[in-house]
Amino acid sequence: MSNLTLDILIVEDNPADARLIETMLAKITDRRFKTLWQDSLAGALQAVQRQSFQAALLDLGLPDSQGLATLQQFRAGAVNLPIVVLTGLDDEQTGVASLREGAQDYLLKDELRPPLLSRAISYAIERQQILARLHQSQRDLQTQEAFFRSIVDTNPNFIFVKDAQGRYILANRALANFYNTTPEFILGKSEADLNPNPAQAEQHEREEREILETLVDKIVSQEPVRGADGELRWVQTIRKPLVVDDQADRILGVSIDITERQLAESRLWQQAERGQLLA
């Protein structure tokens, strides 16, 4: 950063204070600063539209805006610009409040010194860069989550995850449709809340507790299940412990609808039996 010239926007309605800041920046030897001074919020907002800056030194008491509203309006017009708020010695509370409103740092005008000013600008720039990377990582995670969610939801099999108490923490759309509800409604529910067969729900809960205790998968090759509309379907289900952060406290389950296969096998057996009778 020391080899770069940093463009700094000074937003200050007092010409003497603005010149003092420019003089201090000129005394800093480890980096170069190029400044632009604006004495109003409107002028500052126009400046950030015309020119790119690395940071802004913002006085909150301006002719056309006062207090934290100045910071809020300026941030709305310069979303990604690092901001160092300038405040009086008797108004340090406002400086602290400005941090909660999105400023990267604040400085007391009466205590301004070249090293302190340089350090505050550098910190504001670095903090904004860290926040930008963090926001980008969050957006990437959200995109990735939406991508995997679309894969799970478009899968025709029943896919679910339960916690150690047997409550659903994930359910795909196929399972929700089977119970004539939505994935969001299922979250936090147990199978006993959804399955019209209480005995089957209780059996599944026992099996899932055993899976978490033994860490051994449970495979059921065929099993009848009944949906909310009373329709009977046959499924093949695998339940397995899901290890997260070295802890197996969740159950991942996938059920494949094998109803058509069951019906086909049943017809084949019936044909075979009729053939034997005829023979």
Side-chain angles (χ1 to χ4, degrees):
M1 186 182 296
S2 59
N3 295 326
L4 299 176
T5 297
L6 301 180
D7 291 302
I8 306 299
L9 176 63
I10 301 173
V11 189
E12 170 62 65
D13 66 331
N14 188 321
D17 286 346
R19 285 194 296 269
L20 177 62
I21 293 172
E22 291 176 332
T23 301
M24 289 184 180
L25 291 176
K27 291 180 179 180
I28 298 171
T29 59
D30 61 343
R31 67 198 64 193
R32 297 169 56 194
F33 296 94
K34 181 179 178 182
T35 61
L36 177 68
W37 171 44
Q38 294 292 323
D39 60 1
S40 67
L41 177 61
L45 291 174
Q46 291 175 4
V48 296
Q49 296 301 317
R50 296 192 308 264
Q51 183 178 341
S52 176
F53 297 93
Q54 277 71 58
L57 302 174
L58 178 67
D59 182 13
L60 299 183
L62 299 173
D64 53 351
S65 182
Q66 293 289 321
L68 292 176
T70 303
L71 173 60
Q72 294 165 351
Q73 294 179 65
F74 185 73
R75 282 195 70 241
V79 178
N80 297 316
L81 182 62
I83 301 172
V84 178
V85 165
L86 303 175
T87 185
L89 185 61
D90 59 346
D91 199 20
E92 186 172 2
Q93 186 175 359
T94 300
V96 174
S98 69
L99 300 180
R100 294 193 292 268
E101 292 293 333
Q104 276 65 48
D105 204 352
Y106 75 93
L107 291 172
L108 302 178
K109 290 184 181 181
D110 296 341
E111 297 181 355
L112 281 180
R113 301 291 183 275
L116 182 61
L117 189 56
S118 175
R119 188 163 57 248
I121 292 174
S122 298
Y123 172 75
I125 294 173
E126 291 173 3
R127 185 166 183 242
Q128 180 61 34
Q129 291 172 345
I130 292 172
L131 288 174
R133 289 194 294 269
L134 177 61
H135 291 158
Q136 183 60 50
S137 297
Q138 290 174 337
R139 288 192 293 269
D140 291 343
L141 286 173
Q142 290 171 351
T143 300
Q144 189 179 48
E145 182 181 352
F147 174 69
F148 284 115
R149 182 75 212 193
S150 66
I151 293 176
V152 170
D153 271 342
T154 55
N155 195 304
N157 301 317
F158 303 160
I159 301 177
F160 59 89
V161 176
K162 296 180 182 179
D163 63 16
Q165 287 71 45
R167 296 177 299 230
Y168 287 98
I169 58 176
L170 182 146
N172 73 337
R173 195 160 299 280
L175 180 63
N177 290 341
F178 181 69
Y179 286 124
N180 194 27
T181 186
T182 64
E184 293 75 18
F185 178 83
I186 291 179
L187 300 185
K189 303 288 193 305
S190 68
E191 186 173 341
D193 298 322
L194 303 169
N195 193 334
N197 186 339
Q200 187 180 58
E202 184 178 349
Q203 177 186 344
H204 290 167
E205 290 176 358
R206 285 197 305 269
E207 292 173 349
E208 289 162 1
R209 286 195 295 269
E210 182 180 347
I211 291 171
L212 291 179
E213 291 172 0
T214 63
L215 302 183
V216 177
D217 299 356
K218 175 72 174 180
I219 300 176
V220 179
S221 59
Q222 56 183 26
E223 179 182 32
V225 293
R226 197 173 297 277
D229 58 359
E231 180 184 9
L232 185 66
R233 308 293 293 179
W234 287 84
V235 296
Q236 183 180 83
T237 301
I238 178 171
R239 291 179 173 84
K240 59 189 308 175
L242 187 61
V243 180
V244 178
D245 296 332
D246 297 328
Q247 289 188 340
D249 57 357
R250 303 174 189 179
I251 294 288
L252 170 64
V254 178
S255 296
I256 303 172
D257 191 332
I258 60 171
T259 305
E260 300 304 323
R261 189 179 75 187
Q262 288 289 101
L263 292 175
E265 290 177 353
S266 177
R267 286 193 291 268
L268 287 175
W269 279 107
Q270 291 174 0
Q271 291 174 2
E273 290 176 350
R274 283 196 298 267
Q276 292 176 353
L277 290 174
L278 290 174

